[in-house]
Amino acid sequence: MNYRHAFHAGNHADVLKHIVLTRLIALMSRKEQPFAYLDTHAGLGLYDLQGDQATRTGEYLEGVARLWGRKDLPAMTADYMQVLHKMNPDGQLRYYPGSPELARRTTRAHDRVLLNEKHPEDGVMLKANMKGDRRVAVHLGEGWHVPRALLPVAEKRAVMLIDPPFEKLDEMQRCVESLKDAISRMRQTVVAIWYPIKDKRQLRRFYQDLAASGAPKLLQVELFVHPLDTPNSLNGSGLAIANPPWGLEEELRELLPWLAKTLGQTQGGWQMEWIIAE
Ligand SMILES: C[S@@+](CC[C@H](N)C(=O)[O-])C[C@H]1O[C@@H](n2cnc3c(N)ncnc32)[C@H](O)[C@@H]1O
């Protein structure tokens, strides 16, 4: 396990993933009933953008830094930006929330946050970062086991983020297996799988597997920052979202063109499609 998210925190892919995550949580919160947030590959929880790892790559400069301080932010970014402002009250962008911290800060008092991280050092830091919030449980186990270990939840409503490092060739297939495990145990689970886009041809099998997953509905959202034939580069990223809450598609249709314009580097773009329609 060599991957350390601190090198990539706040990059364009994090911005897409984390804004969509805050919208999933906001839309789930329209109903009073509680829900559980599950994170199979949680990372550290929060990151220092002035730390050694983040400054070595500077990826956040082409990501969250492009949103910081802007006056024309779309309404859909408000929850995400509010967390950032609370973490950086002096107006300097330094601390960045990972998915655990965003979920912890945007869920309600009666919701639960169930996190899992396998890397021993990152797991210890995640525990320390989440300390003191009794709604949060941190597990230091195997991410691929989370759907079978933790679903169904007592609340009968859940959002699950699957966000592995994609260091190994089989991780796309394992994401689809985890999606199947999740919906077989609790069919209504909202499952968001994040995935990198380098060369679209590498994704053909993944799209086919998603289409055959048996999810009731599956929406695919992609944001590009470079032309898709650019070699050796993270040209974009996507989220495959099973059981997206009502209203998400319309929100994203408004948000994605703005994100593509704001985060595009050599060439911004976006796409959204139902892989499984109702
Ligand atoms: C992309 S990062 C997660 C970022 C986090 N979800 C966020 O948005 O802030 C992937 C994480 O998965 C962890 N990891 C790698 N293999 C794992 C496994 N098999 N089970 C659980 N965690 C794993 C890595 O240590 C890393 O922290």
Side-chain angles (χ1 to χ4, degrees):
M1 293 178 64
N2 296 319
Y3 180 91
R4 311 309 297 271
H5 194 66
F7 288 105
H8 312 292
N11 68 4
H12 62 86
D14 258 11
V15 174
L16 172 71
K17 171 182 39 177
H18 291 152
I19 292 178
V20 173
L21 177 59
T22 60
R23 294 319 304 156
L24 289 175
I25 289 173
L27 294 171
M28 289 289 280
S29 304
R30 285 180 307 193
K31 283 194 189 142
E32 177 53 23
Q33 294 100 306
F35 63 90
Y37 169 75
L38 286 77
D39 203 323
T40 60
H41 299 69
L44 301 185
L46 44 104
Y47 300 90
D48 181 355
L49 298 177
Q50 305 304 325
D52 183 43
Q53 290 165 320
T55 47
R56 250 196 277 169
T57 62
E59 287 186 23
Y60 76 95
L61 295 170
E62 310 282 19
V64 62
R66 291 195 180 187
L67 275 65
W68 188 252
R70 278 185 78 133
K71 299 274 181 280
D72 63 339
L73 292 162
M76 269 87 73
T77 64
D79 291 350
Y80 172 73
M81 294 307 295
Q82 194 177 35
V83 172
L84 280 166
H85 282 291
K86 283 194 179 148
M87 291 175 70
N88 297 283
D90 65 359
Q92 297 296 314
L93 178 61
R94 174 162 187 186
Y95 296 107
Y96 186 77
S99 49
E101 182 67 5
L102 273 172
R104 196 179 74 73
R105 287 180 181 253
T106 53
T107 47
R108 303 159 301 175
H110 58 300
D111 299 323
R112 288 190 299 150
V113 175
L114 310 178
L115 309 171
N116 183 77
E117 167 59 46
K118 190 176 176 187
H119 194 289
E121 283 166 32
D122 288 7
V124 168
M125 283 199 261
L126 176 64
K127 272 200 167 174
N129 286 333
M130 297 295 122
K131 209 168 141 195
D133 191 332
R134 294 174 60 188
R135 301 174 311 121
V136 181
V138 178
H139 301 269
L140 306 182
E142 172 52 60
W144 305 116
H145 294 167
V146 167
R148 269 170 286 152
L150 299 181
L151 289 173
V153 289
E155 293 87 344
K156 301 272 180 283
R157 305 176 69 217
V159 178
M160 182 164 88
L161 175 65
I162 304 178
D163 184 21
F166 292 100
E167 285 179 307
K168 297 188 193 130
L169 286 174
D170 66 350
E171 282 179 303
M172 292 210 164
Q173 274 159 278
R174 296 194 89 162
C175 285
V176 179
E177 288 309 313
S178 290
L179 164 65
K180 287 187 196 167
D181 285 344
I183 55 173
S184 71
R185 297 187 67 86
M186 204 173 91
R187 193 156 172 74
Q188 66 275 31
T189 311
V190 177
V191 181
I193 301 172
W194 179 88
Y195 57 92
I197 303 175
K198 292 177 181 166
D199 179 340
K200 271 269 205 184
R201 282 168 301 189
Q202 293 167 348
L203 294 172
R204 209 174 292 151
R205 165 89 192 275
F206 177 56
Y207 295 149
Q208 284 167 357
D209 290 347
L210 286 169
S213 65
K217 287 190 286 177
L218 195 81
L219 183 67
Q220 173 207 61
V221 180
E222 297 185 337
L223 180 74
F224 316 118
V225 299
H226 296 297
L228 293 178
D229 54 2
T230 313
N232 304 318
S233 143
L234 182 65
N235 295 321
S237 67
L239 286 160
I241 306 167
N243 296 316
W246 189 82
L248 184 75
E249 182 190 4
E250 290 69 22
E251 285 196 1
L252 295 182
R253 214 167 274 293
E254 208 178 312
L255 178 70
L256 285 163
W258 186 87
L259 276 181
K261 195 159 60 134
T262 306
L263 296 175
Q265 295 176 34
T266 50
Q267 188 182 305
W270 65 280
Q271 173 183 310
M272 183 160 59
E273 212 175 285
W274 286 98
I275 293 190
I276 304 175
E278 221 168 343

